[in-house]
Amino acid sequence: MRIGVLTSGGDAPGMNAAIRSVVRDGIYNGLEVFGVRHGYAGLIAGEIEPLTARSVGGIIQMGGTMLGSARSEEFKTREGRKKGLDNLANQGIEALVVVGGNGSQ
């Protein structure tokens, strides 16, 4: 199974720790984990890349989010959400973990 993780909304403390946890726990449980760069905007643009345990090494103490975050007006539309879903499907990603605060729902 493949899962994705993205960060959205404003940066918040602990986002990198959450990303690291998703990636390492996913790998431990036999999943392939992919990161979506720049939040929902990146999801629509197809900015999706594999993440490994090494990808998330040393990020806990860093501020912000190693994946980047961006709000997306396009994602609020039906067509924007369809693009995002299509990009996940094209990568074979079956689930998406969204980490964030305001703007991530």
Side-chain angles (χ1 to χ4, degrees):
M1 179 177 184
R2 292 179 165 191
I3 65 169
V5 60
L6 74 75
T7 51
S8 179
D11 290 352
M15 290 180 105
N16 280 329
I19 294 165
R20 181 180 182 270
S21 179
V22 169
V23 172
R24 295 216 170 157
D25 285 346
I27 292 168
Y28 177 80
N29 286 291
L31 306 175
E32 290 181 76
V33 185
F34 291 76
V36 179
R37 295 262 177 211
H38 312 295
Y40 291 117
L43 182 61
I44 291 169
E47 297 179 41
I48 302 170
E49 62 188 45
L51 295 176
T52 65
R54 280 201 114 109
S55 301
V56 295
I59 67 168
I60 290 178
Q61 69 279 8
M62 295 170 53
T65 162
M66 56 112 24
L67 292 174
S69 181
R71 292 191 171 100
S72 171
E73 287 300 314
E74 186 178 4
F75 193 76
K76 294 179 182 178
T77 68
R78 183 179 199 85
E79 296 79 17
R81 290 189 299 274
K82 172 99 170 70
K83 285 181 191 176
L85 285 171
D86 289 346
N87 285 330
L88 291 174
N90 290 339
Q91 294 280 344
I93 296 171
E94 301 176 58
L96 182 64
V97 178
V98 178
V99 177
N102 187 23
S104 57
Q105 296 179 8

